[in-house]
């Protein structure tokens, strides 16, 4: 057994250790990105559109944001932006490109990574490839304030992995009864797996602030009663015809219609989040290495 091989195995073993029993001392507070999973209980609630415009508004506030399209099989962030992805995660995992090379530029120079076929391979990496991926994403994370993973909708095992690995999870729902039911079901499944995920709610397509609060309360009250879990509402985005118009033009609505009600809502939401999350990051920095360890734990 060579010293190099032994060192490799030791490091991989460290990466796979239970994160609750170990800290990432190499990643001091404020030196790595805050990882956010954006998800929904069902498709069609506007999750990806929210992720994109949320990221753009955080960027306007001076934050460095990376969007990672992690929706396996239904990746569409690039379609919403009207751009074509030349590279994706597949090129990184095959070592054809580095992490910095697969990061592409969207509207307002927003950096994003297309998942593509590489997303399925991510969960079956060899030990050597796992180490390579970890080092690549660490290099990027130190330059970012936030990494937003736009996950798949519903209860796939991949989506649950992203939720439980992230620092926190934003659950997007709408006032529709099925969306509310499915959002709660997603939270319950993750909670029943005994993962202490930090959830926050965003109500999309609300007729007004009152309807958004009523929608969030339906989920919050049930979660509090049966799961003993507090799920605060982060904000809402109005049901605004400008949103669908922007989608058809493949342009983010916050750029194409900056004065629309939906744009004003997401500006307010991003500002509130940026103010709140600075304290969260200071209180409980898990680090990108911890995220990868939890995501790819076997």
């Amino acid at each position: 057994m060579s010293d190099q091989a032994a060192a490799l195995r030791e490091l991989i073993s460290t990466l796979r250790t239970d994160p609750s029993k170990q800290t990432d001392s190499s990643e001091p507070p404020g030196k790595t990105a805050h990882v956010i999973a954006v998800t929904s209980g069902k498709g069609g609630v506007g999750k990806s559109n929210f992720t994109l415009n949320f990221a753009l508004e955080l960027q306007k506030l001076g934050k460095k944001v990376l969007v990672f399209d992690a929706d396996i099989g239904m990746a569409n962030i690039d379609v919403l932006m009207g751009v074509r992805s030349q590279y994706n995660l597949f090129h990184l995992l095959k070592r054809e490109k580095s992490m910095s090379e697969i990061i592409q530029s969207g509207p307002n120079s927003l950096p994003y990574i297309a998942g593509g076929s590489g997303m399925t391979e991510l969960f079956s990496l060899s030990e050597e490839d796992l180490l390579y991926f970890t080092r690549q994403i660490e290099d990027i994370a130190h330059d970012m304030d936030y990494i937003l993973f736009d996950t798949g909708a519903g209860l796939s095992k991949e989506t649950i992995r992203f939720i439980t690995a992230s620092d926190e999870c934003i659950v997007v729902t709408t006032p529709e009864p099925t969306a509310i039911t499915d959002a709660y079901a997603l939270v319950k499944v993750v909670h029943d797996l005994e993962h202490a995920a930090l959830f926050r709610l965003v109500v999309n397509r609300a007729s007004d602030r009152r309807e958004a609060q009523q929608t969030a309360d339906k989920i919050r009250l049930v979660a509090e009663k049966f799961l003993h879990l507090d799920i605060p509402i982060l904000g809402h985005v109005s049901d605004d015809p400008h949103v669908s118009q922007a989608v058809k033009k493949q342009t983010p609505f916050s750029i194409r219609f900056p004065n629309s009600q939906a744009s004003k809502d997401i500006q307010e939401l991003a500002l509130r989040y940026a103010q709140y999350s600075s304290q969260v990051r200071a209180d409980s920095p898990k680090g990108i290495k911890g995220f990868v360890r939890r995501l790819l734990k076997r």
Side-chain angles (χ1 to χ4, degrees), residues 52 71-72 166 178 273 287:
L52 172 58
D71 190 345
I72 297 175
S166 299
T178 53
Y273 183 81

Side-chain angles (χ1 to χ4, degrees), residues 190-252:
V190 174
H191 183 268
D192 288 347
L193 291 173
E194 299 183 353
H195 286 287
L198 178 61
F199 291 103
R200 294 197 174 270
L201 288 171
V202 167
V203 180
N204 195 26
R205 299 176 191 158
S207 59
D208 52 32
R209 192 179 299 273
R210 181 181 178 183
E211 183 181 50
Q213 189 63 58
Q214 290 175 339
T215 299
D217 285 346
K218 290 177 181 178
I219 299 174
R220 294 189 65 190
L221 292 173
V222 177
E224 191 174 289
K225 180 177 180 179
F226 295 104
L227 307 180
H228 307 292
L229 188 64
D230 180 35
I231 311 177
I233 180 172
L234 180 60
H236 78 282
V237 181
S238 296
D239 189 8
D240 187 335
H242 291 99
V243 174
S244 60
Q245 292 175 34
V247 169
K248 291 175 183 177
K249 297 294 184 181
Q250 292 184 275
T251 306

Side-chain angles (χ1 to χ4, degrees), residues 254-269:
S254 59
I255 292 178
R256 190 169 186 86
F257 303 108
N259 296 318
S260 66
Q261 188 57 53
S263 293
K264 292 177 181 177
D265 291 339
I266 209 156
Q267 288 166 14
E268 178 184 333
L269 194 153

